[in-house]
Amino acid sequence: METVHGIRRVADGAWLASLREIDGTSGWQRVPLYCVVHLRTGTAVLETGQTSFTLQAPVLLFFTPYQEYSFHGDFSGSHLSFHGDFYCIEKHRHEVACNGVLFNNIYTPPFVPLDEEQAAPANNYIRLLHEAMTSNDDLAREDLIIAHLKIILIIATRVKCRQIEETLTQLPPDAGPRLEEFHQLLEAHFTVWKKPADYAAAMHISGKALSRLTGKYLSKTPSALITERVVQEAKRALHFSYLSVKEIATALGYDDPLYLSRLFRKQTGVSPREFRQQVGVTILV
């Protein structure tokens, strides 16, 4: 039977933070937690939505609450999960700028390959985190776990930022500016423009050309990216505000809140209300 170590919420016994060892036989399900997966050895195939990636360890991966993903292959590693009540990546964005880089980044794959030099400190702090998780000493235990978690996120954020910069420099001369143009248009208009044709027209290219561009360099269709951006914003509003589902739907450009609810459930497996209930509301100050 799989052994899980961590800290539970006193009120209901739910996990606030937990760590388990994983391999090719491990089970996967959507959870209302942020997750950090460390593939330590071997090769794994990551399935996330309609996209799959073959990964060679060592790799770190990052997932948001109720994000769909699973692994299979011959590998070993660890799976760290934590609730926003335990550590809020948005509240601590000035300390650890991982939100939008490691988490909630629809424009890059959710993983960070590590070379030998980068893997050494990551392995060390994951080991220290495991020791803190399994310790019987309760003195400042949560603070110690959070401290190790922060360092792991900082290491991964630095590596990921460098990898993104390197990827951009290796793109063909015409691809980089086009992708950046689409990125800026999507960020500016996703609450209004819901069809790929809107973006293609603004970029003065055909819909097929836009699909080829995002498919080749982002491994996603324009429609998938638009949907992911809408759902990402809905998640943020549910997590960081008390806005009603109807108010959120209106802000995202939908007259019918039921349409947003159906879209949200299709992407996350839960309704907006269930998401808010399980992930919680955190008011940023």
Side-chain angles (χ1 to χ4, degrees):
M1 185 175 179
E2 189 175 74
T3 301
V4 181
H5 301 282
I7 297 173
R8 291 184 181 272
R9 186 186 287 117
V10 175
D12 58 8
W15 288 112
L16 281 175
S18 65
L19 185 70
R20 63 183 173 118
E21 289 295 301
I22 57 171
D23 58 28
T25 66
S26 298
W28 305 96
Q29 60 181 350
R30 297 183 183 186
V31 292
L33 307 167
Y34 293 91
C35 298
V36 180
V37 177
H38 177 221
L39 298 182
R40 189 168 50 246
T41 64
T43 303
V45 175
L46 164 67
E47 303 280 353
T48 174
Q50 302 299 313
T51 309
S52 65
F53 302 92
T54 299
L55 306 172
Q56 181 66 47
V59 185
L60 287 169
L61 302 100
F62 302 87
F63 303 101
T64 55
Y66 286 114
Q67 186 169 350
E68 180 184 10
Y69 63 92
S70 63
F71 297 88
H72 59 87
D74 183 13
F75 64 91
S76 66
S78 60
H79 182 276
L80 167 68
S81 57
F82 59 94
H83 196 278
D85 290 344
F86 182 77
Y87 182 76
C88 178
I89 62 171
E90 183 66 15
K91 270 191 174 181
H92 297 279
R93 65 184 304 173
H94 298 297
E95 301 172 18
V96 184
C98 61
N99 195 12
V101 179
L102 305 179
F103 301 100
N104 295 311
N105 185 347
I106 67 171
Y107 302 102
T108 64
F111 53 82
V112 182
L114 304 172
D115 61 27
E116 185 176 342
E117 183 179 352
Q118 296 160 347
N123 289 339
N124 182 52
Y125 282 102
I126 290 171
R127 177 183 60 80
L128 291 172
L129 192 147
H130 181 270
E131 291 176 0
M133 285 280 198
T134 57
S135 173
N136 293 322
D137 189 347
D138 289 332
L139 179 62
R141 182 167 170 241
E142 289 190 22
D143 292 332
L144 190 59
I145 292 171
I146 288 173
H148 296 326
L149 172 59
K150 282 184 178 181
I151 294 174
I152 293 167
L153 295 178
I154 290 170
I155 291 170
T157 299
R158 289 177 173 177
V159 175
K160 181 78 169 182
C161 287
R162 288 198 295 268
Q163 291 175 351
I164 291 173
E165 290 177 1
E166 290 171 2
T167 299
L168 290 175
T169 61
Q170 294 169 3
L171 290 174
D174 60 330
R178 281 298 196 188
L179 287 169
E180 179 60 26
E181 183 181 9
F182 174 70
H183 182 171
Q184 291 180 1
L185 286 169
L186 182 55
E187 291 301 312
H189 300 291
F190 71 90
T191 62
V192 180
W193 296 354
K194 299 297 193 293
K195 297 179 180 179
D198 297 325
Y199 298 90
M203 295 171 67
H204 305 290
I205 60 176
S206 69
K208 288 184 178 180
L210 179 58
S211 293
R212 287 195 298 269
L213 181 72
T214 63
K216 183 174 182 178
Y217 297 108
L218 303 180
S219 301
K220 298 176 183 178
T221 66
S223 294
L225 286 159
I226 296 165
T227 299
E228 285 184 31
R229 186 64 185 89
V230 168
V231 172
Q232 181 188 83
E233 197 65 21
K235 282 183 174 183
R236 176 179 171 79
L238 291 164
H239 190 18
F240 296 115
S241 79
Y242 286 106
L243 292 174
S244 68
V245 175
K246 182 177 181 180
E247 289 172 322
I248 294 170
T250 299
L252 292 176
Y254 298 102
D255 296 327
D256 183 3
L258 291 178
Y259 184 89
L260 176 64
S261 293
R262 289 193 294 269
L263 183 69
F264 191 91
R265 182 183 285 277
K266 185 176 180 180
Q267 290 292 310
T268 66
V270 295
S271 70
R273 287 183 175 84
E274 289 173 305
F275 182 91
R276 172 172 278 165
Q277 182 181 25
Q278 295 299 319
V279 176
V281 176
T282 300
I283 300 301
L284 302 174
V285 293

Coordinates of all heavy atoms in Angstrom, one line a residue, residues 31-109:
V31 N -7.0 16.6 -8.0 CA -7.1 16.9 -6.6 C -7.2 18.5 -6.5 O -6.6 19.2 -7.4 CB -6.0 16.4 -5.8 CG1 -6.0 14.8 -5.7 CG2 -4.6 16.8 -6.4
P32 N -7.7 19.0 -5.4 CA -7.8 20.4 -5.2 C -6.5 21.0 -4.6 O -6.5 21.9 -3.7 CB -9.0 20.6 -4.2 CG -8.9 19.3 -3.4 CD -8.5 18.3 -4.3
L33 N -5.4 20.6 -5.1 CA -4.1 20.9 -4.6 C -3.1 21.3 -5.7 O -3.2 20.9 -6.8 CB -3.5 19.7 -3.8 CG -4.4 19.1 -2.8 CD1 -3.8 17.7 -2.3 CD2 -4.5 20.0 -1.5
Y34 N -2.1 22.1 -5.3 CA -1.0 22.3 -6.2 C -0.1 21.1 -6.0 O 0.1 20.6 -4.9 CB -0.2 23.6 -5.8 CG -1.0 24.9 -6.0 CD1 -1.8 25.4 -5.0 CD2 -1.0 25.5 -7.2 CE1 -2.6 26.6 -5.2 CE2 -1.7 26.7 -7.4 CZ -2.5 27.2 -6.4 OH -3.2 28.3 -6.7
C35 N 0.5 20.7 -7.1 CA 1.4 19.5 -7.1 C 2.7 19.8 -7.8 O 2.8 20.4 -8.8 CB 0.7 18.4 -7.8 SG -0.9 17.9 -7.0
V36 N 3.7 19.2 -7.1 CA 5.1 19.2 -7.7 C 5.6 17.8 -7.8 O 5.6 17.1 -6.8 CB 6.1 20.0 -6.8 CG1 7.5 20.0 -7.4 CG2 5.6 21.4 -6.6
V37 N 5.8 17.3 -9.0 CA 6.3 16.0 -9.3 C 7.7 16.0 -9.6 O 8.2 16.8 -10.5 CB 5.5 15.3 -10.4 CG1 6.0 13.9 -10.7 CG2 4.0 15.3 -10.1
H38 N 8.5 15.1 -9.0 CA 9.9 15.0 -9.2 C 10.2 13.6 -9.8 O 10.0 12.6 -9.2 CB 10.7 15.1 -7.9 CG 12.2 14.9 -8.1 ND1 13.0 14.2 -7.2 CD2 13.0 15.3 -9.1 CE1 14.2 14.2 -7.6 NE2 14.3 14.9 -8.7
L39 N 10.5 13.6 -11.1 CA 10.9 12.3 -11.7 C 12.4 12.2 -11.5 O 13.2 12.9 -12.1 CB 10.6 12.3 -13.2 CG 9.1 12.4 -13.6 CD1 8.9 12.4 -15.1 CD2 8.2 11.4 -12.9
R40 N 12.8 11.2 -10.7 CA 14.1 11.1 -10.3 C 15.0 10.2 -11.2 O 16.1 10.5 -11.5 CB 14.1 10.5 -8.9 CG 15.5 10.5 -8.2 CD 15.3 10.1 -6.7 NE 14.5 8.9 -6.5 CZ 13.3 9.0 -5.8 NH1 12.8 10.1 -5.4 NH2 12.7 7.8 -5.7
T41 N 14.4 9.1 -11.7 CA 15.1 8.2 -12.6 C 14.1 7.6 -13.6 O 12.9 7.6 -13.4 CB 15.6 6.9 -11.8 OG1 14.6 6.2 -11.2 CG2 16.6 7.4 -10.7
G42 N 14.6 7.2 -14.8 CA 13.8 6.5 -15.8 C 13.2 7.4 -16.8 O 13.5 8.6 -16.9
T43 N 12.2 6.9 -17.5 CA 11.5 7.5 -18.6 C 10.0 7.4 -18.3 O 9.5 6.4 -18.0 CB 11.8 6.9 -19.9 OG1 13.2 7.0 -20.2 CG2 11.1 7.7 -21.1
A44 N 9.3 8.5 -18.5 CA 7.9 8.6 -18.3 C 7.1 9.3 -19.4 O 7.7 10.2 -20.0 CB 7.5 9.3 -16.9
V45 N 5.9 8.9 -19.7 CA 5.1 9.6 -20.6 C 4.0 10.3 -19.8 O 3.3 9.7 -19.0 CB 4.4 8.6 -21.6 CG1 3.4 9.3 -22.5 CG2 5.4 7.9 -22.4
L46 N 4.0 11.6 -20.0 CA 3.0 12.5 -19.3 C 1.9 12.7 -20.2 O 2.0 13.1 -21.4 CB 3.7 13.9 -19.0 CG 2.7 15.0 -18.7 CD1 2.0 14.8 -17.3 CD2 3.5 16.3 -18.6
E47 N 0.7 12.4 -19.7 CA -0.6 12.7 -20.4 C -1.3 13.8 -19.7 O -1.6 13.7 -18.5 CB -1.5 11.4 -20.4 CG -0.8 10.2 -21.0 CD -0.9 10.2 -22.6 OE1 -1.5 11.1 -23.1 OE2 -0.3 9.3 -23.1
T48 N -1.5 14.9 -20.4 CA -2.3 16.0 -19.8 C -3.2 16.6 -20.9 O -2.9 17.2 -21.9 CB -1.3 17.1 -19.4 OG1 -2.0 18.3 -18.9 CG2 -0.3 17.5 -20.5
G49 N -4.5 16.3 -20.6 CA -5.5 16.7 -21.6 C -5.3 16.0 -22.9 O -5.3 14.7 -22.9
Q50 N -5.2 16.7 -24.0 CA -5.1 16.1 -25.3 C -3.6 16.0 -25.7 O -3.3 15.6 -26.8 CB -5.8 16.9 -26.3 CG -7.3 17.0 -26.1 CD -8.0 15.7 -26.0 OE1 -7.8 14.9 -26.9 NE2 -8.9 15.5 -25.0
T51 N -2.7 16.3 -24.8 CA -1.3 16.4 -25.2 C -0.5 15.4 -24.3 O -0.8 15.1 -23.2 CB -0.7 17.8 -24.9 OG1 -1.6 18.8 -25.5 CG2 0.7 18.0 -25.4
S52 N 0.5 14.8 -25.0 CA 1.4 13.9 -24.3 C 2.9 14.2 -24.5 O 3.2 14.8 -25.6 CB 1.1 12.4 -24.7 OG 1.5 12.2 -26.0
F53 N 3.7 14.0 -23.5 CA 5.1 14.3 -23.6 C 5.9 13.1 -23.1 O 5.5 12.5 -22.1 CB 5.5 15.5 -22.8 CG 4.8 16.8 -23.2 CD1 3.6 17.1 -22.5 CD2 5.3 17.6 -24.2 CE1 2.9 18.3 -22.8 CE2 4.6 18.8 -24.5 CZ 3.4 19.1 -23.8
T54 N 7.0 12.7 -23.8 CA 7.9 11.7 -23.2 C 9.0 12.4 -22.5 O 9.7 13.3 -23.1 CB 8.5 10.8 -24.4 OG1 7.4 10.2 -25.0 CG2 9.4 9.8 -23.8
L55 N 9.2 12.1 -21.2 CA 10.2 12.8 -20.4 C 11.3 11.8 -19.9 O 11.0 10.7 -19.5 CB 9.4 13.3 -19.2 CG 8.2 14.2 -19.5 CD1 7.5 14.6 -18.2 CD2 8.7 15.5 -20.2
Q56 N 12.5 12.3 -19.9 CA 13.6 11.6 -19.4 C 14.1 12.3 -18.1 O 14.4 13.5 -18.1 CB 14.8 11.6 -20.4 CG 16.0 10.9 -20.0 CD 15.8 9.4 -19.9 OE1 15.2 8.8 -20.8 NE2 16.2 8.8 -18.8
A57 N 14.1 11.5 -17.0 CA 14.5 12.1 -15.7 C 16.0 12.5 -15.8 O 16.8 12.0 -16.6 CB 14.4 11.0 -14.6
P58 N 16.3 13.5 -14.9 CA 15.5 14.2 -13.9 C 14.7 15.3 -14.5 O 15.2 16.1 -15.3 CB 16.6 14.7 -12.9 CG 17.8 14.9 -13.8 CD 17.8 13.9 -14.8
V59 N 13.5 15.4 -14.0 CA 12.5 16.4 -14.4 C 11.7 16.9 -13.2 O 11.3 16.0 -12.4 CB 11.6 16.0 -15.5 CG1 10.7 17.1 -16.0 CG2 12.4 15.3 -16.7
L60 N 11.3 18.2 -13.1 CA 10.4 18.6 -12.2 C 9.1 19.1 -12.9 O 9.3 19.7 -14.0 CB 10.9 19.8 -11.4 CG 12.0 19.5 -10.3 CD1 12.6 20.8 -9.8 CD2 11.4 18.7 -9.1
L61 N 7.9 18.8 -12.4 CA 6.7 19.2 -13.1 C 5.8 19.9 -12.1 O 5.8 19.6 -10.9 CB 6.0 17.9 -13.6 CG 6.8 17.1 -14.6 CD1 7.4 15.9 -13.9 CD2 5.9 16.6 -15.8
F62 N 4.9 20.7 -12.6 CA 4.1 21.6 -11.7 C 2.7 21.7 -12.2 O 2.4 21.9 -13.4 CB 4.7 23.0 -11.7 CG 6.1 23.0 -11.2 CD1 7.2 22.8 -12.1 CD2 6.4 23.1 -9.9 CE1 8.5 22.7 -11.6 CE2 7.7 23.1 -9.4 CZ 8.8 22.9 -10.3
F63 N 1.7 21.4 -11.3 CA 0.3 21.3 -11.7 C -0.5 22.1 -10.7 O -0.2 22.2 -9.5 CB -0.2 19.9 -11.8 CG 0.6 19.0 -12.7 CD1 1.6 18.2 -12.2 CD2 0.4 19.1 -14.1 CE1 2.4 17.4 -13.0 CE2 1.2 18.3 -14.9 CZ 2.1 17.4 -14.4
T64 N -1.6 22.7 -11.2 CA -2.5 23.5 -10.4 C -3.7 22.7 -10.0 O -4.0 21.6 -10.5 CB -3.0 24.7 -11.2 OG1 -3.6 24.3 -12.5 CG2 -1.9 25.7 -11.5
P65 N -4.5 23.2 -9.0 CA -5.7 22.4 -8.5 C -6.6 21.9 -9.6 O -7.0 22.7 -10.5 CB -6.4 23.4 -7.6 CG -5.2 24.2 -7.0 CD -4.3 24.4 -8.2
Y66 N -6.9 20.7 -9.6 CA -7.9 20.0 -10.5 C -7.3 20.0 -11.9 O -8.1 19.7 -12.9 CB -9.2 20.6 -10.4 CG -10.0 20.2 -9.2 CD1 -10.3 21.2 -8.2 CD2 -10.4 18.9 -8.9 CE1 -11.0 20.9 -7.1 CE2 -11.1 18.6 -7.8 CZ -11.4 19.5 -6.9 OH -12.0 19.2 -5.7
Q67 N -6.0 20.1 -12.1 CA -5.5 20.0 -13.4 C -5.4 18.5 -13.8 O -5.0 17.7 -12.9 CB -4.1 20.6 -13.5 CG -3.5 20.6 -15.0 CD -2.3 21.5 -15.1 OE1 -1.9 22.2 -14.2 NE2 -1.6 21.4 -16.2
E68 N -5.7 18.1 -15.0 CA -5.7 16.7 -15.4 C -4.3 16.3 -15.8 O -3.7 17.0 -16.7 CB -6.7 16.5 -16.5 CG -6.7 15.1 -17.0 CD -7.6 14.9 -18.2 OE1 -8.1 15.9 -18.8 OE2 -7.9 13.7 -18.6
Y69 N -3.7 15.2 -15.3 CA -2.5 14.7 -15.7 C -2.3 13.3 -15.2 O -2.9 12.9 -14.2 CB -1.3 15.5 -15.2 CG -1.1 15.6 -13.7 CD1 -0.3 14.7 -13.0 CD2 -1.8 16.6 -12.9 CE1 -0.2 14.8 -11.6 CE2 -1.7 16.6 -11.6 CZ -0.9 15.7 -10.9 OH -0.8 15.8 -9.6
S70 N -1.5 12.5 -15.9 CA -1.2 11.1 -15.4 C 0.2 10.8 -16.0 O 0.6 11.4 -17.0 CB -2.2 10.1 -15.8 OG -2.4 10.1 -17.2
F71 N 0.8 9.8 -15.4 CA 2.1 9.3 -15.9 C 2.1 7.8 -16.1 O 1.4 7.1 -15.4 CB 3.2 9.6 -14.9 CG 3.5 11.1 -14.7 CD1 2.7 11.7 -13.7 CD2 4.4 11.8 -15.4 CE1 3.0 13.1 -13.4 CE2 4.6 13.1 -15.2 CZ 3.9 13.8 -14.2
H72 N 2.8 7.3 -17.1 CA 3.1 5.9 -17.2 C 4.5 5.7 -17.7 O 5.0 6.5 -18.5 CB 2.0 5.1 -18.0 CG 1.9 5.6 -19.4 ND1 2.6 5.1 -20.4 CD2 1.0 6.5 -19.9 CE1 2.3 5.7 -21.6 NE2 1.3 6.6 -21.3
G73 N 5.1 4.5 -17.4 CA 6.4 4.3 -17.9 C 7.2 3.6 -16.8 O 6.7 3.1 -15.8
D74 N 8.5 3.5 -17.0 CA 9.4 2.9 -16.1 C 10.2 4.0 -15.4 O 11.2 4.5 -15.9 CB 10.4 1.9 -16.8 CG 11.3 1.2 -15.9 OD1 11.1 1.3 -14.6 OD2 12.3 0.6 -16.4
F75 N 9.8 4.5 -14.3 CA 10.4 5.6 -13.6 C 10.2 5.5 -12.1 O 9.4 4.7 -11.6 CB 9.8 6.9 -14.1 CG 8.3 7.1 -13.8 CD1 7.9 7.7 -12.6 CD2 7.3 6.6 -14.6 CE1 6.6 7.8 -12.3 CE2 6.0 6.7 -14.3 CZ 5.6 7.4 -13.1
S76 N 10.9 6.4 -11.4 CA 10.7 6.5 -9.9 C 10.8 8.0 -9.6 O 11.4 8.8 -10.3 CB 11.7 5.7 -9.1 OG 13.0 6.3 -9.3
G77 N 10.2 8.4 -8.5 CA 10.2 9.8 -8.1 C 9.3 10.1 -6.9 O 9.0 9.1 -6.1
S78 N 8.9 11.3 -6.8 CA 8.1 11.7 -5.6 C 7.1 12.7 -6.1 O 7.2 13.4 -7.1 CB 9.0 12.3 -4.5 OG 9.6 13.5 -5.0
H79 N 6.0 12.7 -5.3 CA 4.8 13.6 -5.7 C 4.5 14.4 -4.4 O 4.0 13.9 -3.4 CB 3.6 12.7 -6.1 CG 2.4 13.5 -6.5 ND1 1.5 13.9 -5.5 CD2 1.9 13.8 -7.7 CE1 0.5 14.5 -6.2 NE2 0.8 14.5 -7.5
L80 N 4.7 15.7 -4.5 CA 4.4 16.6 -3.4 C 3.2 17.4 -3.8 O 3.0 17.9 -4.9 CB 5.6 17.6 -3.2 CG 5.3 18.8 -2.4 CD1 5.1 18.4 -0.9 CD2 6.5 19.8 -2.5
S81 N 2.2 17.5 -2.8 CA 1.0 18.2 -3.1 C 0.8 19.1 -1.9 O 1.1 18.8 -0.7 CB -0.2 17.3 -3.3 OG -0.4 16.4 -2.2
F82 N 0.2 20.3 -2.1 CA -0.1 21.2 -1.0 C -1.3 22.1 -1.3 O -1.5 22.5 -2.5 CB 1.1 22.1 -0.7 CG 1.6 23.0 -1.8 CD1 1.2 24.3 -2.0 CD2 2.5 22.4 -2.7 CE1 1.7 25.1 -3.0 CE2 3.0 23.2 -3.8 CZ 2.6 24.5 -3.9
H83 N -2.1 22.4 -0.3 CA -3.2 23.3 -0.4 C -2.9 24.7 -0.4 O -1.8 25.1 0.2 CB -4.2 22.9 0.7 CG -5.6 23.4 0.5 ND1 -6.0 24.7 0.7 CD2 -6.7 22.8 0.0 CE1 -7.3 24.9 0.4 NE2 -7.7 23.7 0.0
G84 N -3.7 25.6 -1.0 CA -3.4 27.0 -1.0 C -3.4 27.6 0.4 O -2.8 28.6 0.7
D85 N -4.1 26.9 1.4 CA -4.1 27.3 2.8 C -2.8 27.1 3.4 O -2.5 27.8 4.4 CB -5.2 26.6 3.6 CG -6.6 27.0 3.2 OD1 -6.8 28.1 2.5 OD2 -7.6 26.3 3.5
F86 N -2.1 26.1 2.9 CA -0.7 25.8 3.5 C 0.3 26.7 2.9 O 1.1 27.3 3.7 CB -0.4 24.3 3.2 CG 1.0 23.9 3.7 CD1 1.1 23.6 5.1 CD2 2.1 23.8 2.9 CE1 2.3 23.2 5.6 CE2 3.3 23.4 3.4 CZ 3.4 23.1 4.8
Y87 N 0.3 26.9 1.6 CA 1.2 27.8 1.0 C 0.6 28.4 -0.3 O 0.2 27.7 -1.2 CB 2.5 27.1 0.6 CG 3.6 28.1 0.0 CD1 4.3 28.9 0.8 CD2 3.8 28.1 -1.4 CE1 5.2 29.8 0.2 CE2 4.7 29.0 -2.0 CZ 5.4 29.8 -1.2 OH 6.3 30.7 -1.7
C88 N 0.4 29.7 -0.3 CA -0.3 30.4 -1.4 C 0.7 31.0 -2.3 O 1.5 31.9 -2.0 CB -1.2 31.5 -0.8 SG -2.1 32.4 -2.1
I89 N 0.8 30.5 -3.5 CA 1.8 30.9 -4.5 C 1.6 32.4 -4.9 O 2.5 33.1 -5.3 CB 1.9 30.0 -5.7 CG1 0.6 30.0 -6.5 CG2 2.3 28.6 -5.3 CD1 0.7 29.3 -7.8
E90 N 0.3 32.8 -4.9 CA 0.0 34.2 -5.3 C 0.4 35.2 -4.2 O 1.0 36.3 -4.4 CB -1.4 34.3 -5.7 CG -1.8 35.7 -6.2 CD -1.2 36.1 -7.5 OE1 -0.7 35.2 -8.2 OE2 -1.2 37.3 -7.8
K91 N 0.1 34.8 -2.9 CA 0.5 35.7 -1.8 C 2.0 35.9 -1.7 O 2.4 37.0 -1.3 CB -0.1 35.1 -0.5 CG -1.5 35.6 -0.1 CD -1.8 35.2 1.3 CE -3.1 35.8 1.7 NZ -3.5 35.4 3.1
H92 N 2.7 34.9 -2.1 CA 4.2 34.9 -1.9 C 4.9 35.2 -3.2 O 6.1 34.8 -3.4 CB 4.7 33.6 -1.3 CG 4.2 33.4 0.1 ND1 4.7 33.9 1.2 CD2 3.1 32.6 0.5 CE1 4.1 33.5 2.3 NE2 3.1 32.7 1.9
R93 N 4.2 35.8 -4.2 CA 4.7 36.0 -5.5 C 6.0 36.9 -5.5 O 6.8 36.8 -6.4 CB 3.7 36.5 -6.5 CG 3.2 37.9 -6.1 CD 2.0 38.3 -7.1 NE 2.5 38.3 -8.5 CZ 1.7 38.5 -9.5 NH1 0.4 38.7 -9.3 NH2 2.1 38.4 -10.7
H94 N 6.1 37.8 -4.5 CA 7.2 38.7 -4.4 C 8.4 38.0 -3.9 O 9.6 38.4 -4.1 CB 6.9 40.0 -3.6 CG 5.8 40.8 -4.2 ND1 5.9 41.4 -5.4 CD2 4.5 41.1 -3.7 CE1 4.7 42.0 -5.7 NE2 3.9 41.9 -4.7
E95 N 8.2 36.9 -3.1 CA 9.3 36.1 -2.6 C 9.7 35.0 -3.6 O 10.9 34.8 -3.8 CB 8.9 35.4 -1.3 CG 8.5 36.4 -0.2 CD 7.9 35.7 1.0 OE1 8.1 34.5 1.1 OE2 7.2 36.3 1.8
V96 N 8.7 34.4 -4.2 CA 9.0 33.3 -5.1 C 8.1 33.5 -6.3 O 6.9 33.3 -6.3 CB 8.6 31.9 -4.5 CG1 9.0 30.8 -5.5 CG2 9.3 31.7 -3.2
A97 N 8.7 34.0 -7.4 CA 7.9 34.4 -8.6 C 7.6 33.2 -9.5 O 7.9 33.2 -10.7 CB 8.6 35.5 -9.3
C98 N 6.9 32.2 -8.9 CA 6.7 31.0 -9.7 C 5.3 31.0 -10.4 O 5.1 30.2 -11.3 CB 6.8 29.8 -8.8 SG 5.6 29.7 -7.4
N99 N 4.4 31.9 -9.9 CA 3.1 31.9 -10.5 C 3.2 32.6 -11.9 O 3.6 33.7 -12.0 CB 2.1 32.6 -9.6 CG 0.6 32.4 -10.0 OD1 0.4 31.5 -10.8 ND2 -0.3 33.2 -9.5
G100 N 2.7 31.9 -12.9 CA 2.8 32.4 -14.3 C 4.1 31.8 -15.0 O 4.3 32.0 -16.2
V101 N 5.0 31.2 -14.2 CA 6.2 30.6 -14.8 C 6.1 29.1 -14.6 O 6.0 28.3 -15.6 CB 7.5 31.1 -14.1 CG1 8.7 30.4 -14.7 CG2 7.6 32.6 -14.2
L102 N 6.0 28.6 -13.4 CA 5.9 27.2 -13.1 C 4.4 26.8 -13.2 O 4.0 25.8 -13.7 CB 6.5 26.8 -11.8 CG 7.9 27.1 -11.6 CD1 8.4 26.7 -10.2 CD2 8.8 26.5 -12.6
F103 N 3.6 27.5 -12.5 CA 2.1 27.3 -12.4 C 1.4 28.3 -13.2 O 1.8 29.4 -13.4 CB 1.7 27.4 -10.9 CG 2.3 26.5 -10.0 CD1 3.4 26.9 -9.1 CD2 1.9 25.2 -9.8 CE1 4.0 26.1 -8.2 CE2 2.5 24.3 -8.9 CZ 3.5 24.7 -8.1
N104 N 0.2 27.9 -13.7 CA -0.7 28.8 -14.5 C 0.0 29.4 -15.7 O -0.1 30.6 -16.0 CB -1.2 29.9 -13.5 CG -2.1 29.4 -12.4 OD1 -3.0 28.7 -12.7 ND2 -1.8 29.8 -11.2
N105 N 0.8 28.6 -16.4 CA 1.4 29.1 -17.6 C 0.9 28.2 -18.7 O 1.3 27.0 -18.9 CB 3.0 28.9 -17.5 CG 3.7 29.5 -18.7 OD1 3.1 29.8 -19.7 ND2 5.0 29.6 -18.5
I106 N 0.0 28.7 -19.5 CA -0.6 27.9 -20.6 C 0.3 27.9 -21.8 O 0.0 27.2 -22.8 CB -2.0 28.4 -20.9 CG1 -1.9 29.8 -21.6 CG2 -2.9 28.4 -19.7 CD1 -3.2 30.3 -22.2
Y107 N 1.4 28.7 -21.9 CA 2.1 28.8 -23.1 C 3.4 27.9 -23.1 O 4.0 27.8 -24.2 CB 2.6 30.3 -23.2 CG 1.4 31.3 -23.3 CD1 1.1 32.0 -22.1 CD2 0.6 31.4 -24.4 CE1 0.0 32.9 -22.2 CE2 -0.4 32.3 -24.4 CZ -0.8 33.0 -23.3 OH -1.8 33.9 -23.3
T108 N 3.7 27.3 -22.1 CA 4.8 26.3 -22.0 C 4.4 25.0 -21.4 O 3.5 25.0 -20.5 CB 6.1 26.9 -21.3 OG1 5.7 27.1 -19.9 CG2 6.5 28.2 -21.9
P109 N 5.1 23.9 -21.7 CA 4.8 22.7 -21.0 C 5.0 22.8 -19.5 O 5.9 23.5 -19.1 CB 5.7 21.7 -21.7 CG 6.1 22.3 -23.0 CD 6.1 23.8 -22.8

